[in-house]
């Protein structure tokens, strides 16, 4: 069964994908690194929060939105529709089993990644306790016991004493101190948590990678602003490609590809400040997701409220007493009442298929929901000799929008098997169906 938690999870992952694509298209090539950091963190904020606000009360009063909700609800899959003597279920056993298996796979992956994350945190904390601490240029440093790349974690800066940094040490310290002062580790920890929860979504991992490389851009920019020579600093970065000559960065084993991007960004012309205005595009993106989420929620509620299409048409049929004028000569195209027909007309697939068709097709108008309108609509129609439905009309009205929806569904029915007399003569048959709207 599709639960609200599963729907929320799917919406979050969809938003991560859409917003990541927008980030790549709009912001990735800019040199506004701090603004880019804000956008990347805002993607997480929007993705996890936009499914929560409920604006259905306000949106229900908007005619255009109500029409969209009614149309969208038709596209949603149906699960279970309960009738007086029948239960039609479209969610079969194998679907339930499939969902359960997928949930178990997700839980297993999440557990493994969570364990790995906790193990890494424990390792860093244990390493901090073991390291000898010194002060360099007024900065507290943890000396690594092994020959490793330098890195930082929150307020801790780790440097290997066995490395011969020479003139590199000053820009290393500025680089790592930028990570520390701007709390870049908090961003990484947040992105790691999102990856643990949404590990099946590749966009979550790509977002984490974008956050990491953007941190390096920010730190590199700060080194340049501190007055270091750009050309020499690039040579220091290139030294990372050589074995056992890695210089300071936030993470160990920093690959060559991000290094190339860092050097490219260092030499790139600064983006014109006028282009900062495009970062406001995140606001309509978030508003659009919020609107779509509420339309989806309203459509699901609309589907849930159409709980009954009751009374079996083939068993309990209300026969109209209204006189039917014969436009053609008597006896030739006479319209017979259902009880006068020897072989009754039949919906394709039988009465069970008719019930299922009605349950899937009928949509509770939003306006009627809001006003609490419910009850039964009786609709009369003629099943022609070729099985077509004609002359559909309301014989017991309920409420205009409910009557209109009932007529729409009846007129959309496929051809029936026509009724016959004992001698096999195909005849036109008057048929009346009661449709009941009921709010939960």
């Amino acid at each position: 069964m599709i639960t609200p938690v599963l729907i929320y999870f799917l919406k979050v992952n969809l938003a991560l994908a859409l917003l990541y694509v927008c980030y790549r298209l709009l912001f990735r090539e800019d040199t506004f690194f701090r603004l880019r950091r804000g956008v990347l963190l805002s993607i997480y904020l929007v993705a996890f929060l936009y499914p929560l606000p409920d604006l259905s009360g306000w949106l229900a009063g908007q005619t255009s939105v109500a029409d969209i909700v009614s149309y969208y609800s038709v596209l949603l899959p149906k699960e279970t529709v309960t009738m007086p003597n029948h239960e039609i279920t479209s969610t079969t056993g194998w679907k339930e089993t499939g969902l359960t298996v997928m949930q178990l796979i997700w839980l297993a992956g999440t557990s493994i990644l969570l364990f790995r994350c906790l193990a890494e945190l424990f390792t860093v904390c244990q390493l901090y306790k073991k390291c000898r601490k010194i002060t360099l240029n007024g900065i507290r440093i943890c000396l690594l016991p092994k020959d490793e790349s330098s890195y930082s974690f929150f307020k801790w800066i780790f440097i290997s004493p066995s490395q011969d940094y020479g003139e590199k040490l000053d820009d290393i310290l500025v680089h790592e101190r930028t990570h520390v002062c701007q709390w870049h580790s908090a961003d990484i920890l947040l992105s790691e948590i999102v990856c643990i929860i949404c590990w099946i979504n590749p966009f979550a991992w790509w977002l984490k990678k974008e956050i990491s490389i953007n941190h390096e851009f920010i730190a590199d920019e700060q080194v340049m602003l501190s007055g270091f020579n750009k050309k020499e600093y690039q040579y220091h970065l290139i030294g990372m490609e050589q074995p056992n000559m890695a210089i300071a960065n936030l993470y160990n084993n920093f690959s060559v590809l991000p290094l190339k991007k860092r050097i490219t960004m260092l030499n790139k012309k600064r983006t014109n400040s006028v282009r900062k205005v495009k970062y406001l595009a995140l606001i309509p993106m978030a508003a659009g997701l919020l609107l779509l989420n509420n339309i989806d929620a309203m459509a699901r509620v609309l589907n849930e409220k159409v709980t009954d299409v009751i009374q079996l048409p083939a068993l309990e049929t209300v026969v109209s007493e209204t006189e039917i004028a014969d436009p053609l000569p008597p006896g030739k195209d006479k319209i017979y009442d259902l009880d006068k027909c020897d072989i009754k007309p039949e919906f394709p697939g039988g009465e069970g298929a008719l019930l299922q068709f009605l349950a899937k097709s009928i949509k509770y108008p939003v306006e009627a929901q809001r006003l609490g309108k419910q009850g039964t609509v009786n609709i009369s129609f003629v099943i022609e000799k070729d099985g077509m439905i004609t002359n559909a009309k309301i014989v017991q009205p309920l409420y205009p929008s409910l009557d209109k929806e009932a007529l729409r569904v009846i007129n959309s029915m496929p051809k029936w098997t026509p009724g016959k007399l004992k001698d096999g003569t195909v005849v036109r048959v008057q048929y009346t169906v009661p449709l009941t709207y009921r709010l939960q």
Side-chain angles (χ1 to χ4, degrees):
M1 180 180 180
I2 300 179
T3 64
V5 174
L6 179 57
I7 293 173
Y8 173 81
F9 179 76
L10 294 175
K11 288 180 178 179
V12 167
N13 281 277
L14 178 62
L16 288 175
L18 291 175
L19 293 174
Y20 173 80
V21 171
C22 291
Y23 170 83
R24 293 272 302 191
L25 294 175
L26 296 177
F27 311 121
R28 193 169 184 262
E29 299 303 321
D30 292 347
T31 57
F32 306 126
F33 305 124
R34 287 167 177 78
L35 276 176
R36 283 171 55 176
R37 181 190 182 193
V39 168
L40 287 166
L41 295 179
S42 297
I43 287 176
Y44 289 145
L45 188 68
V46 172
F48 281 88
L49 293 184
Y50 89 93
L52 301 180
D54 182 6
L55 305 180
S56 58
W58 175 72
L59 291 175
Q62 310 298 315
T63 305
S64 57
V65 175
D67 292 340
I68 294 172
V69 169
S70 296
Y71 175 76
Y72 179 74
S73 65
V74 178
L75 305 178
L76 292 176
K78 310 298 181 299
E79 291 186 24
T80 302
V81 179
T82 305
M83 308 288 177
N85 298 316
H86 293 265
E87 185 172 280
I88 302 170
T89 307
S90 61
T91 304
T92 56
W94 68 267
K95 290 184 179 179
E96 291 286 354
T97 303
L99 281 174
T100 302
V101 170
M102 286 190 290
Q103 288 171 0
L104 291 175
I105 292 173
W106 172 82
L107 188 60
T110 300
S111 301
I112 293 171
L113 292 173
L114 179 61
F115 177 79
R116 188 191 71 171
C117 180
L118 293 175
E120 290 176 354
L121 289 174
F122 177 78
T123 301
V124 172
C125 292
Q126 288 296 105
L127 184 60
Y128 175 76
K129 291 180 181 179
K130 295 178 181 178
C131 286
R132 183 165 61 93
K133 284 79 174 177
I134 62 171
T135 302
L136 286 176
N137 300 337
I139 302 173
R140 186 75 168 170
I141 303 296
C142 302
L143 297 179
L144 291 166
K146 298 179 181 180
D147 185 11
E148 299 180 44
S149 302
S150 301
Y151 59 92
S152 61
F153 182 75
F154 284 95
K155 293 186 177 182
W156 305 336
I157 297 178
F158 297 86
I159 290 182
S160 174
S162 60
Q163 292 277 354
D164 182 18
Y165 294 111
E167 296 179 356
K168 302 176 183 178
L169 183 59
D170 289 339
D171 53 27
I172 287 172
L173 292 178
V174 172
H175 185 102
E176 294 303 333
R177 191 171 185 181
T178 301
H179 289 313
V180 169
C181 293
Q182 297 191 19
W183 290 83
H184 289 174
S185 294
D187 298 3
I188 295 302
L189 192 57
L190 174 62
S191 64
E192 183 69 22
I193 292 172
V194 173
C195 286
I196 290 172
I197 297 172
C198 305
W199 64 268
I200 60 174
N201 185 356
F203 293 95
W205 296 95
W206 293 335
L207 273 169
K208 179 185 176 183
K209 184 178 179 181
E210 290 291 342
I211 288 174
S212 299
I213 189 62
N214 192 63
H215 286 166
E216 298 307 314
F217 294 156
I218 292 173
D220 291 341
E221 182 182 54
Q222 188 61 43
V223 172
M224 295 298 97
L225 293 175
S226 299
F228 289 91
N229 183 275
K230 182 187 293 187
K231 192 173 183 178
E232 291 181 358
Y233 183 65
Q234 291 179 64
Y235 285 137
H236 295 172
L237 293 179
I238 293 172
M240 294 171 59
E241 295 184 68
Q242 306 301 322
N244 301 321
M245 290 185 63
I247 70 166
N249 53 82
L250 187 59
Y251 317 100
N252 291 322
N253 301 321
F254 200 81
S255 66
V256 177
L257 181 58
L259 179 58
K260 290 180 179 179
K261 291 180 181 179
R262 289 171 63 183
I263 293 176
T264 300
M265 200 59 73
L266 276 171
N267 292 285
K268 188 173 184 177
K269 184 180 178 181
R270 301 297 95 175
T271 307
N272 193 314
S273 297
V274 176
R275 296 190 179 181
K276 289 182 179 179
V277 71
K278 71 180 178 181
Y279 284 80
L280 295 175
L282 190 64
I283 297 175
M285 289 181 202
L289 285 171
L290 183 62
L291 177 62
L292 288 174
N293 171 68
N294 277 270
I295 288 175
D296 176 77
M298 292 169 67
R300 292 181 187 278
V301 171
L302 179 60
N303 276 353
E304 290 173 2
K305 286 184 176 180
V306 185
T307 57
D308 296 300
V309 183
I310 55 179
Q311 299 179 5
L312 304 182
L315 297 179
E316 298 181 30
T317 304
V318 180
V319 180
S320 173
E321 298 296 333
T322 306
E323 290 187 4
I324 303 169
D326 287 3
L328 299 175
K332 188 173 183 181
D333 276 304
K334 178 182 178 181
I335 298 176
Y336 288 76
D337 289 334
L338 189 65
D339 58 348
K340 303 295 184 182
C341 184
D342 298 306
I343 302 175
K344 293 178 173 51
E346 185 179 44
F347 185 86
E351 70 181 30
L354 172 60
L355 293 174
Q356 191 167 16
F357 172 83
L358 294 174
K360 286 185 177 181
S361 301
I362 196 165
K363 299 300 170 188
Y364 218 124
V366 176
E367 175 198 9
Q369 286 184 59
R370 188 159 46 85
L371 297 175
K373 299 295 183 181
Q374 57 182 340
T376 301
V377 180
N378 283 329
I379 308 171
S380 173
F381 54 92
V382 175
I383 302 170
E384 298 289 348
K385 293 180 179 181
D386 61 356
M388 293 292 293
I389 302 300
T390 62
N391 299 334
K393 58 186 177 181
I394 302 295
V395 294
Q396 181 185 320
L398 175 60
Y399 184 72
S401 61
L402 298 177
D403 298 344
K404 181 179 178 182
E405 173 62 13
L407 279 174
R408 181 192 69 80
V409 173
I410 293 300
N411 284 319
S412 69
M413 287 193 296
K415 287 185 176 182
W416 289 49
T417 300
K420 297 179 181 180
L421 300 178
K422 284 183 180 180
D423 60 3
T425 303
V426 178
V427 295
R428 305 167 74 200
V429 180
Q430 182 77 21
Y431 207 93
T432 301
V433 175
L435 300 180
T436 299
Y437 294 90
R438 184 172 300 166
L439 295 169
Q440 288 183 331

